[in-house]
Amino acid sequence: MTDRINAQLAFLTEACRLKSILRATTLCDGSRRENSGEHSWHIALYAMVLGEQAAPEVNINRVIRMLLIHDLVEIDAGDVPIHGNHDSTAQAAIEQTAATRIFGLLPPDQAETFRALWDEFEAARTPDAIFAKSIDRVQPVIANLETDGGTWPAFNVTASQLETRVGSKVARGAPALWVALKTRIDAWFSPPLLIVRVKISRGHGGWPPLC
Amino acid sequence: MTDRINAQLAFLTEACRLKSILRATTLCDGSRRENSGEHSWHIALYAMVLGEQAAPEVNINRVIRMLLIHDLVEIDAGDVPIHGNHDSTAQAAIEQTAATRIFGLLPPDQAETFRALWDEFEAARTPDAIFAKSIDRVQPVIANLETDGGTWPAFNVTASQLETRVGSKVARGAPALWVALKTRIDAWFSPPLLIVRVKISRGHGGWPPLC
């Protein structure tokens, strides 16, 4: 029993390193960059609160477990910003190696269960994984909206890029959530026109009327 | 629907502030103090890995949900180190007010469910809450052991204090886990004696034999 517990504690101690992996996104108050440990907590809470947006066959408890482990590979592989440029095939290979090492710290039966759950998340084909991926995409959008666009200007993100890279994934797992987000996103990218009425006095050097 | 989602997103944005609440404990590498957001992720992962140590009637999915929300009140009430001195009655009152405000951001039905789950955790009487409290006590012990005692020297913590404040709570929910931890704790507080054999040459000014 002690050997088993020791292996479990070794895995949990290694997992602590996820708190030192920095993401591109900041906290909602913009004070600093978010780390992948606290991000994992936040999106598990997102799933708990927004679970009712999922398709009826989704098991939210499995989604929460998936989200708790979804970023652990970043301990070895680092975080890859969604709006950055990277070689996704090379990155996937690095993450596979990381998964083998990190989940391999657990006792063999648990290593297998955890790895299978992570593989399911990555494949994004089951209802649980599709909803988990939606939630993972929602939280950075909120953080960016809360910080006046956050990292969008730095990455030159356009509304149509957001639609392709984020919207399609969110809408796949949580359509009503994407409708609510899209209203906010559109307002940020195309703020309403400010209509100003100007009275121009003729003969005092003002601009001539446009009509 | 949008009003409901907006209330849920307002709660989730407020929750982000938990990432700025610092605890006494450091990360496992001692590089900085841990915040309560990443701590909440870490112990939810602890529950996922160590769930098999719980009594058979414990529902680990409920425990994980409990741990995800257990520290949210700290956004208003701050973190109270377990080995510090504080007025626990006054602190409990502050936390009750915080719970009313923070969970009250959610739509009313969810506010009620989340508050009930937090109340259950705080009361520590149900099997789920007892196990959740055990897990909450285990993680800082590991962080302290990983950093050569961590915050124990600063708080003048003794082995018997740990037994009372931590051991009793861990053993109540996860007895085998406490046995494993106790071995490590005892080794830290009472390191094995170093036995040195010294050969003393008579007549060369050495110390006389002890016998």
Side-chain angles (χ1 to χ4, degrees):
Chain A
M1 173 59 81
T2 307
D3 281 354
R4 186 169 173 86
I5 291 179
N6 284 341
Q8 291 166 326
L9 293 179
F11 167 81
L12 289 165
T13 300
E14 184 68 10
C16 192
R17 293 175 59 202
L18 194 61
K19 301 168 191 169
S20 302
I21 304 297
L22 294 184
R23 294 163 48 80
T25 324
T26 66
L27 302 193
C28 293
D29 63 3
S31 57
R32 62 168 171 83
R33 284 169 67 191
E34 189 186 36
N35 72 60
S36 294
E38 60 199 3
H39 159 75
S40 299
W41 162 71
H42 208 180
I43 60 171
L45 188 66
Y46 262 72
M48 197 172 150
V49 171
L50 297 168
E52 63 195 27
Q53 298 298 327
E57 65 271 30
V58 171
N59 178 337
I60 297 298
N61 290 324
R62 283 193 83 241
V63 170
I64 291 172
R65 287 170 179 252
M66 221 175 246
L67 291 173
L68 289 174
I69 64 162
H70 83 295
D71 268 348
L72 279 173
V73 293
E74 293 184 3
I75 290 170
D76 289 353
D79 177 61
V80 174
I82 186 176
H83 298 296
N85 292 315
H86 66 279
D87 177 343
S88 57
T89 312
Q91 184 63 21
I94 294 168
E95 291 184 354
Q96 288 291 327
T97 308
T100 304
R101 184 188 78 76
I102 295 164
F103 295 127
L105 295 171
L106 286 164
D109 59 313
Q110 276 193 323
E112 201 177 313
T113 315
F114 278 55
R115 175 61 182 264
L117 197 62
W118 181 77
D119 285 340
E120 182 181 336
F121 173 80
E122 283 298 299
R125 279 193 291 265
T126 62
D128 291 355
I130 289 168
F131 185 67
K133 285 270 181 190
S134 298
I135 291 298
D136 192 28
R137 291 284 180 269
V138 169
Q139 185 250 1
V141 170
I142 298 290
N144 281 328
L145 285 169
E146 287 292 322
T147 49
D148 192 20
T151 56
W152 290 335
F155 284 96
N156 296 316
V157 176
T158 63
S160 87
Q161 250 181 339
L162 266 183
E163 187 82 41
T164 318
R165 298 189 184 183
V166 178
S168 60
K169 289 195 173 65
V170 177
R172 197 173 163 217
L177 199 50
W178 180 242
V179 171
L181 280 187
K182 184 126 178 43
T183 311
R184 296 186 187 198
I185 291 168
D186 288 347
W188 190 82
F189 279 97
S190 312
L193 287 173
L194 190 65
I195 297 169
V196 182
R197 220 173 152 182
V198 183
K199 186 178 177 187
I200 299 172
S201 306
R202 287 169 190 261
H204 284 78
W207 292 94
L210 289 173
C211 56
Chain B
M1 174 57 82
T2 307
D3 281 354
R4 185 169 173 86
I5 291 179
N6 283 341
Q8 290 166 327
L9 293 178
F11 167 82
L12 289 165
T13 299
E14 183 68 10
C16 192
R17 293 175 59 202
L18 194 61
K19 301 169 191 168
S20 301
I21 304 296
L22 294 183
R23 295 163 47 81
T25 323
T26 67
L27 303 194
C28 293
D29 63 4
S31 57
R32 62 167 172 83
R33 285 170 66 190
E34 189 186 35
N35 71 60
S36 293
E38 60 200 3
H39 159 75
S40 299
W41 162 70
H42 208 179
I43 60 171
L45 188 66
Y46 262 72
M48 197 173 151
V49 171
L50 297 167
E52 63 195 27
Q53 297 299 326
E57 65 271 28
V58 171
N59 179 337
I60 296 299
N61 290 325
R62 283 193 81 243
V63 170
I64 290 172
R65 286 170 179 252
M66 219 176 248
L67 292 173
L68 289 174
I69 64 162
H70 83 295
D71 269 348
L72 279 173
V73 293
E74 292 183 3
I75 290 170
D76 289 352
D79 176 62
V80 174
I82 186 176
H83 298 297
N85 292 315
H86 65 279
D87 177 343
S88 58
T89 311
Q91 184 64 20
I94 294 168
E95 291 184 354
Q96 288 291 327
T97 308
T100 303
R101 184 189 77 77
I102 295 164
F103 295 126
L105 295 171
L106 286 164
D109 59 315
Q110 276 193 323
E112 201 177 313
T113 315
F114 277 55
R115 176 60 181 266
L117 197 61
W118 180 77
D119 285 340
E120 182 182 336
F121 173 80
E122 283 298 299
R125 278 193 291 265
T126 62
D128 291 354
I130 289 168
F131 185 67
K133 285 270 180 190
S134 298
I135 291 296
D136 192 29
R137 291 284 180 270
V138 168
Q139 185 250 1
V141 170
I142 297 290
N144 281 327
L145 285 169
E146 287 292 323
T147 48
D148 192 20
T151 56
W152 290 336
F155 284 96
N156 296 315
V157 176
T158 62
S160 89
Q161 250 181 340
L162 266 182
E163 186 81 41
T164 319
R165 298 188 184 183
V166 177
S168 60
K169 289 195 174 66
V170 177
R172 197 173 162 217
L177 198 51
W178 180 241
V179 172
L181 280 187
K182 185 129 178 39
T183 310
R184 297 186 186 198
I185 292 168
D186 288 347
W188 189 83
F189 279 97
S190 311
L193 288 173
L194 189 66
I195 298 171
V196 182
R197 218 170 154 184
V198 182
K199 188 178 177 188
I200 299 172
S201 306
R202 287 170 191 261
H204 286 78
W207 293 95
L210 289 173
C211 57

